[in-house]
Amino acid sequence: DGYNLGLNYQCVEYVKRYYYYHYEHKMPDSYGHAKDFYDPKLPDRRYNEKRALYQFTNGSDYRPLPGDIMVFDGTVKNPFGHCGIVTVSNGDMCELVQQNVGEKTRELFKVQEINNKFYVMDKDVLGWLRKG
């Protein structure tokens, strides 16, 4: 139908393809790098209009849930950022399924509740996006 899923085998393409086929979701702005999925100007639990998803900060009232898109900031080695799909979230961990990371397609992250806020204990996690 002409919707831009992105470049084959990149993390952005994996996430957008998952949302397109699993939720029939199309992002109004279908372009950008992984880190661009997250809008740093939005406060926690707000609607991200460019992605048509609700956005949660790393340090949210709500923990990441299965189906959420976890978004990582750019780094020196990867200035474009990274993203993947949360598949498991309970207790003090969550699991991410991701593409374009070599053999580490599933990765566990520690989740910690501090002062009634949920943090994914990785300095590069900006937050997560969720279908409403």
Side-chain angles (χ1 to χ4, degrees), residues 54-96:
Y54 287 92
Q55 179 172 293
F56 300 84
T57 60
N58 194 11
S60 176
D61 292 336
Y62 298 93
R63 68 180 297 125
L65 295 176
D68 288 355
I69 300 170
M70 190 176 296
V71 182
F72 296 77
D73 202 0
T75 64
V76 172
K77 288 184 176 183
N78 176 9
F80 309 112
H82 184 62
C83 57
I85 302 290
V86 176
T87 55
V88 175
S89 181
N90 55 47
D92 66 350
M93 59 76 71
C94 70
E95 179 187 59
L96 190 72

Side-chain angles (χ1 to χ4, degrees), residues 37-52:
F37 279 22
Y38 185 86
D39 182 349
K41 294 176 281 192
L42 288 178
D44 187 39
R45 300 179 298 154
R46 293 296 193 264
Y47 190 70
N48 181 326
E49 291 185 18
K50 288 175 71 174
R51 306 305 170 184

Side-chain angles (χ1 to χ4, degrees), residues 112-126:
Q112 194 167 356
E113 187 176 358
I114 303 169
N115 297 325
N116 298 316
K117 304 279 185 190
F118 290 94
Y119 294 87
V120 176
M121 304 309 288
D122 182 295
K123 66 179 178 55
D124 295 323
V125 173
L126 296 169

